[in-house]
Amino acid sequence: MSDQHQNLAIIGHVDHGKSTLVGRLLYETGSVPEHVIEQHREEAEEKGKGGFEFAYVMDNLAEERERGVTIDIAHQEFSTDEYDFTIVDCPGHRDFVKNMITGASQADNAVLVVAADDGVAPQTQEHVFLARTLGIDELIVGINKMDIVDYEESTYDDVVEEVEQLLKQVQFNTDDASFIPISAFEGDNIAEESDNTPWYDGEILLEALNSLPEPEPPTDAPLRLPIQDVYTISGIGTVPVGRIETGIMNTGDNVSFQPSDVGGEVKTIEMHHEEVPTAEPGDNVGFNVRGIGKDDIRRGDVCGPADDPPSVAETFQAQIVVMQHPSVITAGYTPVFHAHTAQVACTIESIDKKMDPASGEVAEENPDFIQSGDAAVVTIRPQKPLSIEPSSEIPELGSFAIRDMGQTIAAGKVLDVHEKE
Ligand code: GDP
């Protein structure tokens, strides 16, 4: 047990074994409730299959899935010696992209599952590209289903090479990726070194998870606190609430709210119903600012230091990935952008470059349109003032989801902000 926390995404092509791997991790780390295991152990023994509890747990999950009960691997938690892990929404989940980039479930690192008998498949490519766009730091690549390929070293090597090729194509540093031959189903190289892969002497999966770098809270960046709601509380006055994304807030600080463009001195900060003198990234706070009334600020404003206020974009350039769109996207298209707590209609003013998602290189300058699967650099004009930051400077405030017709159609990160005068 540890109190260091990691948000982990499990990515990979459908049927390559993501759910099975999560089940295995929960099982091996003792995160499946004991009574559930006990029940399956008994059943297994009755049927003369002692030692097969894991298979029984997974079969049971599969049965429930067939009965239409959703087994949600997202939000499952398990602990290793080093970290408490939370599995964040996985690609394929309806709101994965939106949640991931609006910060609701920002993943620090990811496990990519690739089935040894299938190799790199279309969603493997898509997810790796997305992981890179959204700034995943380290990738642990589990080459899964090694049992199906008879634990053949040469098959493993071939798949590793294929994945390395893919990582290079999207310019993901292969030094930041580690490869492990596993069987989620049989439990090889997950919690214990497997006898079936004597040719492999690298880390097993739990070791690799333990040696992930500690996520560093962005305390050195300037304060950025997107406002979720604004309350009026008797005896205190106006209380904006939100989660600190970056930087530190102290009582006595002079702050500015953008784009509302008002500011003042922080009088009190409250967290968990207690007054605190200071708050840091990840803290959900309510606070009170001298001279600010309820109608002066709103959800979607960002609070920052008065001498380094949040940027307000007249236009901005961004790299986007089109996830799903029924037709084509052309200049002039005006869907709703979700960035931190803001929702603002924005016009795609120009499509500047189309990128090859496989190579990351420019495929076409000024294309007439882009469509599902395309990556592009576009120039965007918010229809109402929007506070947003270049992803290279403050990544927490530098990404967004584009929503239209009730779904997330694209995700992106901000390359450059052209500020309003
Ligand atoms: P997901 O779609 O990526 O979540 O894949 P699942 O975890 O649902 O697995 C898809 C199928 O592959 C299921 O029938 C699993 O039992 C099977 N599977 C997963 N991992 C392994 C493995 O390591 N070995 C074998 N033989 N089958 C596996």
Side-chain angles (χ1 to χ4, degrees):
M1 276 280 189
S2 119
D3 46 26
Q4 273 293 335
H5 188 259
Q6 289 257 3
N7 284 334
L8 192 68
I10 309 283
I11 60 178
H13 194 70
V14 63
D15 278 347
H16 278 203
K18 296 181 296 293
S19 321
T20 309
L21 181 63
V22 171
R24 172 58 73 179
L25 285 167
L26 297 180
Y27 179 77
E28 298 290 352
T29 56
S31 314
V32 182
E34 189 55 39
H35 72 268
V36 175
I37 304 241
E38 195 50 45
Q39 179 198 334
H40 292 291
R41 185 175 294 142
E42 278 167 21
E43 252 177 65
E45 270 163 18
E46 255 168 44
K47 297 189 177 160
K49 290 193 173 184
F52 279 74
E53 306 93 280
F54 173 71
Y56 270 75
V57 172
M58 290 313 293
D59 281 357
N60 195 272
L61 293 182
E63 234 171 72
E64 284 185 31
R65 181 153 48 187
E66 272 157 32
R67 286 206 313 269
V69 182
T70 351
I71 305 299
D72 212 347
I73 62 171
H75 313 303
Q76 299 283 0
E77 298 183 354
F78 65 94
S79 298
T80 64
D81 296 341
E82 287 295 322
Y83 296 115
D84 293 333
F85 285 94
T86 302
I87 310 276
V88 301
D89 282 356
C90 297
H93 271 247
R94 219 161 29 105
D95 281 331
F96 166 72
V97 177
K98 175 173 178 268
N99 290 345
M100 195 157 167
I101 65 190
T102 53
S105 56
Q106 182 86 48
D108 303 302
N109 297 292
V111 176
L112 169 67
V113 179
V114 185
D117 60 334
D118 198 19
V120 168
Q123 283 164 343
T124 319
Q125 268 171 312
E126 197 182 303
H127 293 176
V128 165
F129 185 66
L130 202 56
R132 164 142 151 77
T133 304
L134 299 177
I136 293 280
D137 293 331
E138 294 230 358
L139 204 56
I140 297 173
V141 186
I143 308 295
N144 191 33
K145 305 197 187 185
M146 285 302 298
D147 55 304
I148 295 188
V149 299
D150 293 330
Y151 302 99
E152 272 290 339
E153 183 179 9
S154 59
T155 311
Y156 172 76
D157 288 341
D158 289 347
V159 178
V160 168
E161 205 184 304
E162 239 186 295
V163 176
E164 275 179 337
Q165 204 62 37
L166 171 64
L167 295 182
K168 277 192 201 125
Q169 280 172 359
V170 303
Q171 286 153 27
F172 195 104
N173 193 344
T174 43
D175 290 345
D176 292 334
S178 50
F179 296 85
I180 311 173
I182 61 172
S183 166
F185 198 80
E186 300 292 344
D188 296 286
N189 295 328
I190 308 276
E192 272 175 49
E193 222 170 279
S194 168
D195 291 338
N196 295 317
T197 53
W199 41 265
Y200 175 75
D201 61 3
E203 284 184 323
I204 60 172
L205 186 62
L206 280 180
E207 284 172 347
L209 288 170
N210 276 331
S211 36
L212 285 171
E214 274 178 26
E216 281 180 32
T219 45
D220 290 342
L223 174 71
R224 291 296 184 261
L225 195 175
I227 304 306
Q228 262 151 24
D229 275 303
V230 183
Y231 297 105
T232 307
I233 295 178
S234 61
I236 302 182
T238 303
V239 176
V241 302
R243 189 181 68 178
I244 298 183
E245 290 294 336
T246 59
I248 307 270
M249 176 183 263
N250 297 299
T251 50
D253 282 355
N254 244 316
V255 294
S256 158
F257 293 84
Q258 297 297 340
S260 284
D261 201 22
V262 292
E265 183 193 325
V266 178
K267 281 198 296 188
T268 54
I269 306 171
E270 192 176 293
M271 190 163 72
H272 305 306
H273 308 290
E274 270 175 40
E275 240 183 83
V276 293
T278 179
E280 54 180 41
D283 289 347
N284 282 295
V285 297
F287 58 108
N288 176 249
V289 176
R290 201 180 296 277
I292 297 284
K294 189 175 187 338
D295 298 327
D296 295 334
I297 52 176
R298 54 197 53 82
R299 179 185 170 89
D301 272 339
V302 179
C303 176
D307 59 4
D308 190 358
S311 312
V312 178
E314 171 94 50
T315 59
F316 61 97
Q317 203 176 40
Q319 171 159 347
I320 64 170
V321 182
V322 184
M323 312 296 302
Q324 45 186 350
H325 192 276
S327 55
V328 298
I329 293 175
T330 54
Y333 181 47
T334 307
V336 176
F337 280 53
H338 292 236
H340 53 88
T341 57
Q343 294 183 20
V344 174
C346 299
T347 302
I348 297 186
E349 204 163 62
S350 60
I351 303 174
D352 308 325
K353 293 171 195 162
K354 188 159 107 177
M355 321 296 287
D356 178 354
S359 70
E361 279 162 20
V362 178
E364 192 182 344
E365 299 278 352
N366 305 308
D368 291 335
F369 66 87
I370 47 176
Q371 57 192 347
S372 294
D374 284 346
V377 172
V378 297
T379 299
I380 295 152
R381 180 177 295 272
Q383 293 300 308
K384 277 198 209 148
L386 170 66
S387 177
I388 202 157
E389 309 284 351
S391 164
S392 57
E393 286 168 28
I394 310 183
E396 292 79 2
L397 272 287
S399 53
F400 56 85
I402 304 177
R403 306 259 304 164
D404 194 9
M405 300 165 289
Q407 44 183 334
T408 301
I409 57 158
K413 66 175 181 184
V414 178
L415 300 174
D416 204 17
V417 174
H418 181 192
E419 289 204 55
K420 256 199 161 63
E421 287 307 315

